[in-house]
Amino acid sequence: MIEQSEILSRRTRHKHKQFMMAADSVSNGGENIITDSDDDTLSPDDLSEVLTAGTKESHDRAENSPFVKDFLRGRIKRELFKLGTAALYYVYSAIEEEIEKNKEHPMFAPLYFPSELHRRDALAKDLEYLYGEDWESKISCSAATRPYVERIHEVGRDDPALLVAHAWTRYMGDLSGGQILKKVAQRALKLPPTGEGVKFYHFEGIHSPTAFKRLYRSRMNELEVDAETKKKLLDEANLAFKYNLDVFTELQEIGKDIKEEVQDIGFHAHGDMGGDISKCPYYAAKMAVSGSTTHACNFAKMLLGPSTVQVILAMCVAAAAGLAAWYLM
């Protein structure tokens, strides 16, 4: 029988070998980050696929929550954004504390990427920008965030294998939809283009998020897990989504009492247009360029909405007045 220490040793050597290959490719833009073993054909029984399929409903609920929908549309209140950043700080502090304690655990060692993934320090910088130098005295763990944090510590203490579910839920999500949220937040809150306030979304050590996610997925699929452990990991991932949804719901409720003027400058999904392309400037413009007279008319109607017409008329009046003054001199 192979001792657990030998299994760990093998995994650690394998992890180091793949990591060095990945590191070399990252320095070249991440184009070759996938090794032969990383590009294996996926199976429905692979852990990454089990978690993806088994959390789809939970993922959809979180993605379609009012808070996330408002965020994507640019309807963000600065105070709410600050509270959300604080909640993330407590969650990632817990996850990364437990990861460090269990980084040599055979179930987590292959997924240990601190310099690429860890977010606590980036969140601390965001909070310092949003709250000031004394940010630590101005934030607290909210009622909805506390059970999430407590569960992460419980897992790290009693069943470290389940940390895989929490790491997968958070980090892979941040590498995906998080990049969209970053751009929306910068525009809506008029944050500096240099990244202050949204450093959480910037992964300096990852040049190709897509390639890195494939690498991470392949590492997950190499973990030796039986059917019972997969079921436990799936249940834990769904629980993590529930905790995230609870935080979103809490922020949405808090937002109802925050009086702050915000601009709706986000992007509507085409599904929100009700079939009216005049509500989607990009799509209307694309159709107009294609040569369709119907879509060209729609694009023109969109441009000549009431507010636009008023601006154009005002400009025409000003131009006419200027011409008259110049002619009568």
Side-chain angles (χ1 to χ4, degrees):
M1 180 179 291
I2 300 175
E3 296 291 335
Q4 186 180 51
S5 59
E6 176 60 18
I7 294 174
L8 175 57
S9 177
R10 290 181 183 179
R11 289 186 182 282
T12 303
R13 288 197 299 270
H14 177 65
K15 169 184 178 294
H16 179 72
K17 180 182 176 183
Q18 281 200 324
F19 177 75
M20 292 307 296
M21 295 176 73
D24 290 340
S25 62
V26 167
S27 66
N28 292 320
E31 294 179 1
N32 301 313
I33 195 169
I34 308 305
T35 64
D36 289 341
S37 62
D38 294 326
D39 203 24
D40 292 338
T41 302
L42 291 173
S43 161
D45 293 329
D46 286 338
L47 180 57
S48 68
E49 299 307 288
V50 169
L51 294 185
T52 299
T55 59
K56 185 181 185 305
E57 188 176 332
S58 296
H59 178 274
D60 290 346
R61 279 199 299 270
E63 192 176 58
N64 288 294
S65 66
F67 176 77
V68 173
K69 281 189 171 182
D70 282 349
F71 198 141
L72 287 170
R73 292 167 182 164
R75 300 170 186 168
I76 312 168
K77 297 176 180 179
R78 190 180 185 87
E79 189 60 33
L80 216 55
F81 181 76
K82 290 165 64 176
L83 292 173
T85 304
L88 288 172
Y89 175 79
Y90 286 107
V91 169
Y92 278 96
S93 294
I95 289 178
E96 288 161 16
E97 179 182 336
E98 296 304 331
I99 285 176
E100 287 301 317
K101 289 178 182 177
N102 295 282
K103 62 185 178 182
E104 295 184 354
H105 189 282
M107 271 291 288
F108 205 86
L111 301 176
Y112 182 61
F113 290 99
S115 60
E116 288 82 7
L117 293 177
H118 285 193
R119 301 287 85 206
R120 181 181 182 276
D121 291 345
L123 284 161
K125 291 177 182 177
D126 288 339
L127 290 169
E128 181 176 1
Y129 175 80
L130 295 168
Y131 283 98
E133 292 184 0
D134 57 344
W135 63 271
E136 290 181 277
S137 65
K138 295 179 178 178
I139 68 170
S140 61
C141 192
S142 71
T145 307
R146 196 173 301 115
Y148 192 2
V149 169
E150 290 172 353
R151 176 58 183 173
I152 292 168
H153 286 307
E154 180 184 353
V155 161
R157 181 182 65 249
D158 300 335
D159 196 351
L162 297 184
L163 283 174
V164 172
H166 287 279
W168 175 81
T169 302
R170 286 286 356 159
Y171 292 122
M172 294 303 100
D174 299 330
L175 278 170
S176 302
Q179 303 312 299
I180 298 173
L181 297 178
K182 172 186 175 181
K183 293 176 182 178
V184 174
Q186 283 180 312
R187 284 192 294 268
L189 302 176
K190 297 179 175 60
L191 297 174
T194 45
E196 284 81 356
V198 286
K199 291 188 180 295
F200 164 70
Y201 299 107
H202 180 55
F203 292 78
E204 293 184 354
I206 299 176
H207 295 277
S208 172
T210 300
F212 185 86
K213 284 186 290 183
R214 289 180 64 193
L215 172 64
Y216 196 90
R217 182 182 64 198
S218 74
R219 296 287 183 85
M220 287 179 63
N221 295 338
E222 290 169 2
L223 296 173
E224 295 178 8
V225 291
D226 55 26
E228 181 182 353
T229 304
K230 282 182 182 177
K231 175 65 166 57
K232 289 173 65 178
L233 285 166
L234 177 56
D235 290 343
E236 194 67 26
N238 276 307
L239 183 60
F241 271 109
K242 178 187 177 300
Y243 283 131
N244 278 284
L245 183 57
D246 289 344
V247 174
F248 295 155
T249 301
E250 179 185 58
L251 290 170
Q252 187 71 17
E253 288 301 311
I254 293 173
K256 293 177 181 178
D257 296 325
I258 297 177
K259 305 299 181 184
E260 188 175 334
E261 203 170 308
V262 293
Q263 293 180 331
D264 183 3
I265 60 171
F267 294 98
H268 292 284
H270 287 297
D272 294 335
M273 301 303 158
D276 184 0
I277 67 168
S278 67
K279 295 180 182 178
C280 181
Y282 167 75
Y283 188 72
K286 181 179 179 182
M287 291 301 100
V289 171
S290 72
S292 168
T293 55
T294 300
H295 292 308
C297 290
N298 282 334
F299 185 46
K301 285 165 62 180
M302 178 200 71
L303 291 177
L304 296 177
S307 58
T308 309
V309 170
Q310 290 174 7
V311 172
I312 293 174
L313 287 175
M315 291 172 63
C316 288
V317 170
L323 267 173
W326 174 81
Y327 180 75
L328 294 172
M329 283 179 64

